[in-house]
Amino acid sequence: MAKANLPFLVLNPLARWRIFWDLTVMLLVLYNLIMVPYKLAFVETQRARFPERNLAELYADLAIDCLFLFDIVLNFLTTFEEINAKGESAFVTHRGHIVWNYLFSWFLLDLVGSVPPRPPPSRTKWTRRVPHPVLIG
């Protein structure tokens, strides 16, 4: 797919930077796959004993969550391959079709996976008493 054929702000999924980005996101998913259960099982009990580590971990987790949200934006702009009735494949470059395809394929899973499993810690007494819907149950 040639760059000249793409409309403004429609991204080529085969571009080198996009492939690198997808690999980076995949590594971040694997990191979360290992670290989220570990932190929920072991680190949460140690937070009171080691408060200096909390801020660095909070910023790292926040940065990863922001990258996942940015990936959702990129997915709304990235073309996809479609196979027609003749068996020929072509990239769909119409923005409306790209958005529609992403909304009804991976969007919901990406959005749920991008939301942190718990609210960030707060220093106010009022917000500490408000239950978070993910933690109830």
Side-chain angles (χ1 to χ4, degrees):
M1 169 186 290
K3 181 178 168 92
N5 296 341
L6 293 177
F8 182 66
L9 285 180
V10 173
L11 307 175
N12 181 357
L14 301 177
R16 294 181 89 200
W17 73 270
R18 181 61 193 191
I19 293 171
F20 177 76
W21 174 261
D22 288 341
L23 290 174
T24 303
V25 169
M26 184 180 68
L27 290 174
L28 292 174
V29 168
L30 291 175
Y31 170 80
N32 272 350
L33 182 70
I34 295 167
M35 292 308 293
V36 167
Y38 173 77
K39 287 179 183 180
L40 290 175
F42 301 111
V43 177
E44 290 295 323
T45 60
Q46 301 296 320
R47 286 205 190 272
R49 292 179 59 196
F50 304 106
E52 66 277 357
R53 281 193 354 200
N54 293 345
L55 194 59
E57 288 177 16
L58 177 67
Y59 285 138
D61 290 341
L62 182 63
I64 290 172
D65 292 335
C66 288
L67 289 174
F68 285 146
L69 291 172
F70 183 68
D71 185 55
I72 289 175
V73 172
L74 287 180
N75 286 330
F76 274 116
L77 302 173
T78 304
T79 64
F80 65 96
E81 192 172 13
E82 188 174 63
I83 300 174
N84 62 15
K86 298 177 185 176
E88 301 167 341
S89 65
F91 283 99
V92 176
T93 59
H94 187 268
R95 279 191 200 97
H97 293 161
I98 293 170
V99 169
W100 189 261
N101 181 63
Y102 182 56
L103 275 175
F104 290 99
S105 60
W106 290 101
F107 173 70
L108 187 60
L109 184 65
D110 287 348
L111 185 64
V112 169
S114 297
V115 177
R118 61 180 174 75
S122 177
R123 302 285 182 225
T124 64
K125 292 179 182 178
W126 183 82
T127 55
R128 274 193 239 161
R129 285 187 253 152
V130 175
H132 190 269
V134 176
L135 298 176
I136 297 174

